[in-house]
Amino acid sequence: MGKRDDLIAKYADDLKNKCGMSPDMDLLTKVTIGCGPAIYNDDASTVAATQESELETVKNNFLIKKLGLADGPQLMDAINAVIETYGRSERNKYRAVVYYMLVKHFGKEAVYG
């Protein structure tokens, strides 16, 4: 297995054990690939849930640009709900896992069709 496969396995483990979700491995793989080289960078591979600017970046670059959602308070509500599911105290919230949960939340799997 390559490094990306190892990371996908780690993300799937987080979804199962920390978020209580049974991951759709095909979608998780596509979301991970969609994150690009960021998954290999320690800082970029995680979402700093306590930084407002980081959450704005997730909202603008992922939810609005990538998923094509209209801006509104429901976007930040969804991000906060995902972070609650992941566990606010969880130190490493992997970007691919957060994005995967947001795709599922909004039913936007077709974006990765």
Side-chain angles (χ1 to χ4, degrees), residues 81-100:
V82 161
I83 287 169
E84 283 298 326
T85 301
Y86 211 141
R88 287 225 178 254
S89 61
E90 180 56 42
R91 196 166 158 354
N92 290 324
K93 292 177 193 60
Y94 293 107
R95 187 169 302 280
V97 174
V98 170
Y99 285 9
Y100 172 88

Side-chain angles (χ1 to χ4, degrees), residues 52-66:
E52 201 58 44
S53 61
E54 175 79 358
L55 300 181
E56 282 293 323
T57 300
V58 170
K59 182 180 91 168
N60 293 323
N61 293 355
F62 185 69
L63 294 179
I64 296 172
K65 288 182 184 162
K66 177 75 179 167

Side-chain angles (χ1 to χ4, degrees), residues 11-26:
Y11 301 154
D13 184 66
D14 266 20
L15 281 163
K16 282 183 205 138
N17 299 316
K18 295 178 182 166
C19 306
M21 299 173 87
S22 180
D24 171 341
M25 292 308 292
D26 188 45

Side-chain angles (χ1 to χ4, degrees), residues 38 42 73 76 83:
D42 284 345
M76 209 43 94
I83 287 169

